[in-house]
Amino acid sequence: MTDTSLPLRARMTASIDRFGGVMLLPLALAGIALILIGQPSTWATLTIAGLAMGMMIFLMASGLSLIFGLMDVLNFGHSAFVTAGAFIGATVLGWLGFWVTGGNPALNLTGLLIAIAVATIFGGLAGWFFERVVIKPVYQDHLRQILITVGALIVAEELILLIWGGAPIPVPRPAVLTGSIVFAGVSVEIYRIFAFLLGLLVYIGLYLVLNRTRLGLLIRAGVENREMVEALGFRIDRLFILVFMAGSALAAMGGAMWAGYQGLITAALGSEMMILVFIVVIIGGLGSIQGSLLGALLVGLMANYVAFLVPKMALASNMLLMMAILLWRPYGLLPAVKR
């Protein structure tokens, strides 16, 4: 029996946990959308597109969630890594030319993976520089973190404009990933399938590193009790540099994938995506890879469903979703830490 003396929010949480917990929220959202849309083929197409979009947002958001949740760093310059990853990925794809546009599927995929790898490596190295030069002097001071990272973001955007110019840049998509697969009336872009699988592989890798390795154990222990871990002889600052580099590399990878998804990019790409990225981080909970994945999937699905059902509400839909979740769970759905 339900204890009616409990607050409404507590009773709702207990009921949801009894039926599988917050991880079932995407299924619930998809079920409601199916009823409202009414056409199974259209619903399936929107759902697959939303999942792929969510996975690409996850790549960008997971890095920020790690940096914010584990290191307590407010990095408003995160979008610069997204934009840089997009432009570097697009540039490498352009350089590879026939590798990408030719009829050899193996060369197509190799070219795309090289572009993603170059963007990711750049993101990691740029993250190291950013942490050492910009972030290190302002640890434990959130106000100065905001000011200095916003300033660094402006400088980075100006550098991108200086190098690539202000005109939109077309992004060649590998020939093997162009077109769609049609099955039972459901049309799915091949690139979306690739994006979903890549995001899933990244999630599995991050989860295993943070929860099944000694490195992940040290990082989580350093968050809980930095002094104790340092007393045992471990350099927490070096571990946190790795966290920052990984977060920046993931942002650049997400930017490279989003560039191929959009097909045309500008220097404003990162700033435009940061709204969704912050929503995902807040919904999912700080420092939580599982939370980032869950939040990204909810955001991707919500954006697609609402854009189809009520186009004028598309921009506001995820803000409303964030507000509803925070009223229910103020720390997010699956926070690793509670501030």
Side-chain angles (χ1 to χ4, degrees), residues 145-168:
Q145 287 171 8
I146 294 172
L147 294 174
I148 199 168
T149 54
V150 169
L153 171 62
I154 295 172
V155 172
E157 288 181 343
E158 291 301 316
L159 286 175
I160 290 171
L161 287 172
L162 177 65
I163 297 171
W164 282 281

Side-chain angles (χ1 to χ4, degrees), residues 2 16 26 67 81 91 109 150 154 186 205 227 245 273 297 331:
T2 303
I16 292 175
I67 293 170
F81 299 103
T91 301
L109 287 176
V150 169
I154 295 172
V186 179
E227 291 76 13
M245 290 177 65
M273 291 304 301
L297 294 180
Y331 293 105

Side-chain angles (χ1 to χ4, degrees), residues 65 69 280-289 291-292 331-337:
S65 181
V280 166
V281 171
I282 293 169
I283 287 176
L286 298 180
S288 171
I289 294 300
S292 294
Y331 293 105
L333 295 174
L334 293 170
V337 289

Side-chain angles (χ1 to χ4, degrees), residues 70-241:
L70 299 183
M71 300 175 64
D72 195 23
V73 171
L74 295 171
N75 180 18
F76 280 78
H78 192 74
S79 62
F81 299 103
V82 175
T83 308
F87 276 89
I88 289 173
T91 301
V92 174
L93 287 173
W95 285 345
L96 292 176
F98 182 76
W99 277 42
V100 176
T101 59
N104 189 322
L107 284 180
N108 293 164
L109 287 176
T110 301
L112 178 60
L113 293 176
I114 289 174
I116 293 173
V118 172
T120 304
I121 292 171
F122 172 85
L125 295 176
W128 172 83
F129 177 83
F130 196 85
E131 194 277 341
R132 292 287 85 187
V133 175
V134 177
I135 299 298
K136 186 178 179 180
V138 295
Y139 274 121
Q140 310 304 325
D141 189 336
H142 285 167
L143 177 59
R144 293 178 66 195
Q145 287 171 8
I146 294 172
L147 294 174
I148 199 168
T149 54
V150 169
L153 171 62
I154 295 172
V155 172
E157 288 181 343
E158 291 301 316
L159 286 175
I160 290 171
L161 287 172
L162 177 65
I163 297 171
W164 282 281
I169 295 179
V171 183
R173 184 179 292 185
V176 70
L177 297 181
T178 57
S180 303
I181 297 174
V182 180
F183 178 77
V186 179
S187 178
V188 183
E189 288 188 26
I190 300 174
Y191 190 85
R192 295 179 190 271
I193 297 174
F194 176 82
F196 179 83
L197 294 176
L198 178 63
L200 184 60
L201 287 174
V202 171
Y203 166 73
I204 293 172
L206 287 174
Y207 180 83
L208 292 176
V209 168
L210 289 175
N211 295 280
R212 296 289 187 270
T213 66
R214 184 168 177 265
L215 176 62
L217 176 63
L218 287 173
I219 291 173
R220 288 184 286 114
V223 173
E224 294 295 330
N225 194 329
R226 178 179 183 133
E227 291 76 13
M228 180 61 71
V229 175
E230 288 181 336
L232 294 174
F234 296 102
R235 295 288 299 275
I236 293 299
D237 57 338
R238 293 182 180 178
L239 293 177
F240 281 2
I241 291 174

Side-chain angles (χ1 to χ4, degrees), residues 36-62:
L36 295 175
I37 294 170
Q39 299 175 338
S41 59
T42 302
W43 170 83
T45 300
L46 291 171
T47 299
I48 295 172
L51 292 175
M53 177 182 175
M55 278 300 189
M56 285 183 279
I57 297 174
F58 163 74
L59 291 175
M60 306 177 212
S62 58

